[in-house]
């Protein structure tokens, strides 16, 4: 369990003080996939770096399984970091080492015997689906493949926690989907707690069970993903749930119920889904906002619909849309 | 003296004679003095260059400010002294270390003194090219400062270190020729002794051509190695 208690982080610079984190308290349970979402500058990256003390908090504490990370001496902190590994937006692989040696790197640091390290690295390459890339250098791989190698590297020391710092932000939607699936598999198979830092709602919706919304260095909302997204209370949460300013102004909640439809690689390209729903089910949906992209015949992104006609129509629409694979529907 | 007197048939003949009799050994002397001096300069300059980067306030192994400043000032001081004067200034040091201040071996001392601060700066610039995010990643995996230096910073900057070492080699080669003026051996000595003191211009030209060829060879080998060892270019 990770307990973040009253965490503060202030940066002093020549331009003045910046309060990156203000009284952040969170509890992350074992086996959770915990999303921390916010706009850029909200303090997400600082928060995740405070968990493994890459960034020293100015106040408060981080307890991992009861151990106070801030109080550990340098050597013990380094050993503890092997149990809380991290993947990054820019992958950060060693460019002069091949994949096998990149995955061996953390084991080398920990003093694992070279032959054992190689054996484990081969297993990990298998796990992340790149068994044939052992000898390849990072520059020869695509972004998605590099992130898979980075995941294998992060798993090398059998961590309890995996920190993902905007790990899919540099990837296209299709690759994002496959990397997220890999992270979810790892969470299920190995029981590793995952903390996902992102600015993309779709990422949280796809893999997280709990979410905290960070705004201006503060946690403004926290809870189960379904609950937070179904009834966003804070302004920051509303901004994320109703993108592009779509809100009460263009849709009257008294006349219609709103639903969020999330496409995670649904094979609906070329199918007029909403029109078909109107014709077949006689449900006249009001499209409040839509941001979908089509990659390789699959659709990613989300749509916000207003369904008039009360609860019955709403349930009918929900059932219809959910019958399509890889589409999530939620009342908002 | 007119141009026609500088390049008479007799002088060409002399040049040919010197080329056959003295130059092969002079080339060898210049070669080993250059390589040996650069190597020793690298031994001193590499750790210094590392300290310059890691010792900064936000570096992975911060040094006390006065110490870092001292290192910086000493390097700048040594780099500001013109080589011709530095050669003379370190004569007592050469005597203390080698036992003499004359001859090929003795010139290694001033060459190292001139080259190691230069190498330290080149190493510094190479190490600064390493992506700081990669260093952060290593820290997140529990790497100690020493492990980061040995396993991340240096290996990641090998291509740049090699091309910068090539620059150092060619500079030292130029300095070693200059050391001919105070009794150093090699091609520089031949160029000065024959060309300057005895007006044997063709001999001097031949010596200079050989120096140019040596620079070309060092540079080509350095560039080739740097490119071949860079795994980012695939």
């Amino acid at each position: 369990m990770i307990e973040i208690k009253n965490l503060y982080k202030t940066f002093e610079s020549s331009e003045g003080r910046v309060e990156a984190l203000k009284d952040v308290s969170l509890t992350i349970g074992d086996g959770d996939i915990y999303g921390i979402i916010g706009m850029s500058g909200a303090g997400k990256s600082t928060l995740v770096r405070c968990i493994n003390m890459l960034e020293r908090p100015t106040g408060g504490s981080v307890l991992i399984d009861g151990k106070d990370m801030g109080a550990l001496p340098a050597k013990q902190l380094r050993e503890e970091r092997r149990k809380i590994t991290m993947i990054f937006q820019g992958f950060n692989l060693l460019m002069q080492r091949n994949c096998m040696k990149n995955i061996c790197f953390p084991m080398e640091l920990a003093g694992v015997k070279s032959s054992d390290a190689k054996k484990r690295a081969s297993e990990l390459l298998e796990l992340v689906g790149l068994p044939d890339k052992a000898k390849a250098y990072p520059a020869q791989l695509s972004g998605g493949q590099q992130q898979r190698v980075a995941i294998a590297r992060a798993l090398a020391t059998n961590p309890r926690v995996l920190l993902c710092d905007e790990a899919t932000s540099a990837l296209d939607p299709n690759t994002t989907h496959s990397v997220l699936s890999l992270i979810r598999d790892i969470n299920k198979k190995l029981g590793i707690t995952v903390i996902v830092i992102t600015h993309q709602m779709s990422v949280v919706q796809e893999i997280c069970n709990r979410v905290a919304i960070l705004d201006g260095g503060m946690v403004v909302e926290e809870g189960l993903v379904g609950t937070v997204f179904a009834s966003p209370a804070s302004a920051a949460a509303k901004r994320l749930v109703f993108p592009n300013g779509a809100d009460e102004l263009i849709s009257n909640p008294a006349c219609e119920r709103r639903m969020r439809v999330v496409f995670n690689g649904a094979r609906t390209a070329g199918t007029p889904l909403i029109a078909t729903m109107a014709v077949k089910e006689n449900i006249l949906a009001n499209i409040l906002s839509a941001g979908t992209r089509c990659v390789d015949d699959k659709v990613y992104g989300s749509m916000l619909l207003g369904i008039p006609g009360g609860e019955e129509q709403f349930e009918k629409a929900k059932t219809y849309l959910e019958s399509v694979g890889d589409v999530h529907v939620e009342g908002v | 003296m007119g141009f026609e007197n500088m390049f008479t048939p007799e002088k060409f003949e002399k040049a040919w004679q010197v080329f056959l009799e003295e130059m092969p050994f002079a080339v060898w002397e210049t070669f080993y003095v250059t390589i040996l001096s650069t190597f020793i300069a690298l031994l001193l300059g590499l750790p210094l260059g590392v300290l310059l980067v890691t010792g900064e306030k936000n570096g992975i192994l911060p040094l006390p400010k006065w110490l870092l400043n001292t290192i910086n000032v000493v390097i700048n001081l040594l780099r500001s002294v013109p080589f011709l004067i530095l050669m003379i200034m370190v004569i007592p040091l050469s005597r203390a270390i080698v036992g003499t201040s004359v001859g090929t071996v003795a010139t290694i001392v001033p060459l190292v003194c001139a080259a190691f601060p230069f190498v330290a700066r080149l190493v510094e610039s190479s190490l600064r090219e390493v992506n700081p995010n990669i260093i952060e990643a290593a820290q997140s995996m529990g790497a100690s400062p020493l492990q980061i230096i040995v396993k991340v910073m240096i290996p990641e900057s090998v291509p740049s270190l090699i091309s910068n070492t090539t620059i150092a080699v060619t500079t030292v080669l130029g300095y070693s020729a200059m050391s001919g003026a105070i009794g150093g051996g090699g091609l520089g000595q031949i160029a000065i002794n024959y060309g300057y003191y005895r007006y044997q211009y063709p001999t001097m030209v031949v010596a200079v051509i050989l120096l140019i060829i040596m620079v070309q060879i060092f540079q080509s080998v350095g560039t080739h190695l740097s490119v071949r060892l860079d795994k980012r270019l695939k």
Side-chain angles (χ1 to χ4, degrees):
Chain A
M1 192 162 72
I2 302 170
E3 293 158 277
I4 299 170
K5 290 182 177 167
N6 309 100
L7 209 65
Y8 284 86
K9 175 72 190 180
T10 311
F11 292 103
E12 305 272 1
S13 74
S14 50
E15 289 105 59
R17 293 158 63 93
V18 179
E19 288 191 306
L21 296 175
K22 282 177 267 183
D23 198 15
V24 171
S25 295
L26 293 173
T27 303
I28 297 159
D30 287 336
D32 271 352
I33 302 188
Y34 198 103
I36 296 174
I37 186 169
M39 304 289 171
S40 41
K44 312 179 293 278
S45 284
T46 309
L47 177 57
V48 78
R49 276 165 180 70
C50 282
I51 293 175
N52 60 5
M53 295 291 142
L54 279 178
E55 205 73 81
R56 289 273 169 186
T58 20
S61 58
V62 176
L63 304 180
I64 297 181
D65 296 333
K67 221 180 267 179
D68 186 350
M69 295 298 284
L72 294 176
K75 192 163 178 287
Q76 265 167 281
L77 174 63
R78 289 201 291 268
E79 269 160 32
E80 207 56 35
R81 278 179 181 163
R82 289 174 196 145
K83 300 284 156 218
I84 315 150
T85 53
M86 199 166 174
I87 58 173
F88 306 84
Q89 177 170 10
F91 324 128
N92 298 352
L93 296 172
L94 294 158
M95 300 307 279
Q96 306 292 350
R97 282 182 176 227
N98 64 26
C99 295
M100 171 66 89
K101 289 193 171 143
N102 259 292
I103 300 170
C104 287
F105 179 64
M107 295 185 270
E108 221 175 287
L109 297 176
V112 175
K113 222 170 72 191
S114 159
S115 54
D116 295 345
K118 275 187 189 143
K119 198 166 151 265
R120 170 116 182 100
S122 304
E123 291 165 12
L124 287 165
L125 273 171
E126 195 89 37
L127 178 75
V128 300
L130 297 169
D132 53 334
K133 297 290 184 196
K135 291 256 169 359
Y137 285 90
Q140 297 166 304
L141 303 179
S142 69
Q145 290 173 326
Q146 287 193 49
Q147 195 61 290
R148 283 166 183 274
V149 174
I151 290 171
R153 182 175 71 170
L155 295 176
T157 47
N158 291 309
R160 293 189 305 265
V161 181
L162 178 66
L163 307 174
C164 309
D165 182 21
E166 297 275 11
T168 56
S169 301
L171 305 174
D172 65 64
N174 205 2
T175 316
T176 296
H177 180 61
S178 76
V179 167
L180 290 177
S181 309
L182 175 64
I183 293 173
R184 191 174 32 214
D185 282 354
I186 286 162
N187 166 265
K188 282 212 183 101
K189 264 192 223 159
L190 310 174
I192 295 173
T193 307
V194 182
I195 298 180
V196 177
I197 299 288
T198 183
H199 63 272
Q200 292 166 306
M201 264 256 303
S202 54
V203 169
V204 172
Q205 230 152 3
E206 193 172 342
I207 64 166
C208 298
N209 58 332
R210 289 187 79 88
V211 64
I213 297 175
L214 215 58
D215 189 35
M218 288 186 286
V219 176
V220 291
E221 230 169 308
E222 199 271 343
L224 291 169
V225 172
T227 318
V228 170
F229 285 161
S231 51
S234 63
K238 280 183 182 152
R239 264 205 312 278
L240 289 162
V241 177
F242 303 109
N244 310 324
D247 57 13
E248 286 83 357
L249 293 174
I250 54 166
S251 147
N252 183 355
C255 316
E256 54 187 30
R257 272 208 67 184
R258 284 170 302 194
M259 65 163 61
R260 163 173 294 282
V261 186
V262 180
F263 300 87
N264 284 326
R267 295 199 170 276
T268 53
T271 317
L273 192 64
I274 306 302
T276 314
M277 184 166 79
V279 172
K280 278 197 182 160
E281 308 282 327
N282 201 20
I283 299 166
L284 302 170
N286 181 10
I287 300 176
L288 306 175
S289 141
T292 53
R293 268 182 295 179
C294 188
V295 180
D296 290 347
D297 253 13
K298 292 181 187 169
V299 178
Y300 296 89
S302 65
M303 238 182 222
L304 194 64
L305 301 178
I307 309 290
E311 197 61 28
E312 196 190 322
Q313 288 289 83
F314 177 83
E315 284 305 323
K316 232 169 101 187
K318 192 164 183 241
T319 314
Y320 174 75
L321 291 169
E322 274 175 341
S323 66
V324 183
D326 289 312
V327 173
H328 294 281
V329 182
E330 251 164 1
V332 176
Chain B
M1 190 167 54
F3 190 75
E4 63 281 3
N5 292 330
M6 288 167 75
F7 296 97
T8 59
E10 298 81 54
K11 286 184 176 177
F12 276 107
E13 209 169 294
K14 179 70 184 169
W16 181 242
Q17 189 197 338
V18 174
F19 177 72
L20 291 179
E21 287 170 11
E22 293 181 42
M23 298 245 189
F25 186 63
V27 168
W28 162 245
E29 275 186 317
T30 300
F31 176 80
Y32 92 73
V33 163
T34 303
I35 296 296
L36 200 60
S37 303
T38 313
F39 179 71
I40 299 170
L42 210 54
L43 288 184
L44 296 169
L46 187 67
L48 269 181
V50 169
L51 285 182
L52 286 172
V53 178
T54 59
E56 285 192 319
K57 203 173 130 224
N58 297 319
I60 54 164
L61 204 62
L63 290 177
K65 206 168 174 209
W66 64 265
L67 185 58
L68 193 65
N69 286 346
T70 312
I71 296 174
N72 264 308
V73 167
V74 170
I75 288 174
N76 290 345
L77 266 177
L78 282 170
R79 293 208 55 210
S80 350
V81 182
F83 182 64
L84 207 60
I85 296 162
L86 188 77
M87 278 194 302
I88 297 160
M89 279 169 66
V90 299
I91 283 176
L93 189 64
S94 309
R95 288 217 180 99
I97 296 174
V98 192
T100 171
S101 66
V102 196
T104 312
V105 179
T107 56
I108 290 175
V109 178
L111 282 175
V112 169
C113 287
F116 88 84
F118 180 51
V119 169
R121 286 283 179 232
L122 291 175
V123 169
E124 181 192 2
S125 87
S126 287
L127 296 184
R128 284 194 198 286
E129 286 168 31
V130 176
N131 181 353
N133 295 331
I134 293 183
I135 294 173
E136 189 190 42
Q139 282 175 318
S140 82
M141 288 177 248
S144 69
L146 188 67
Q147 283 175 322
I148 291 176
I149 294 167
V150 176
K151 289 180 183 288
V152 180
M153 292 174 75
I154 295 178
E156 282 295 296
S157 55
V158 157
S160 168
L161 282 172
I162 289 176
S163 61
N164 275 336
T165 305
T166 310
I167 296 176
V169 168
T170 51
T171 307
V172 171
L173 185 79
Y175 284 171
S176 85
M178 233 188 276
S179 70
I182 62 151
L187 287 169
Q189 188 191 30
I190 289 183
I192 289 168
N193 283 356
Y194 286 92
Y196 186 66
Y197 295 125
R198 296 194 227 162
Y199 308 112
Q200 296 287 347
Y201 294 105
T203 311
M204 183 180 73
V205 170
V206 172
V208 170
I209 289 172
L210 286 175
L211 280 171
I212 292 171
I213 292 172
M214 285 181 80
V215 170
Q216 294 293 338
I217 291 172
F218 279 131
Q219 189 61 55
S220 308
V221 171
T223 307
H224 177 77
L225 272 181
S226 167
V227 170
R228 218 195 58 174
L229 292 178
D230 195 348
K231 307 300 182 196
R232 289 169 300 183
L233 313 165
K234 290 278 170 169

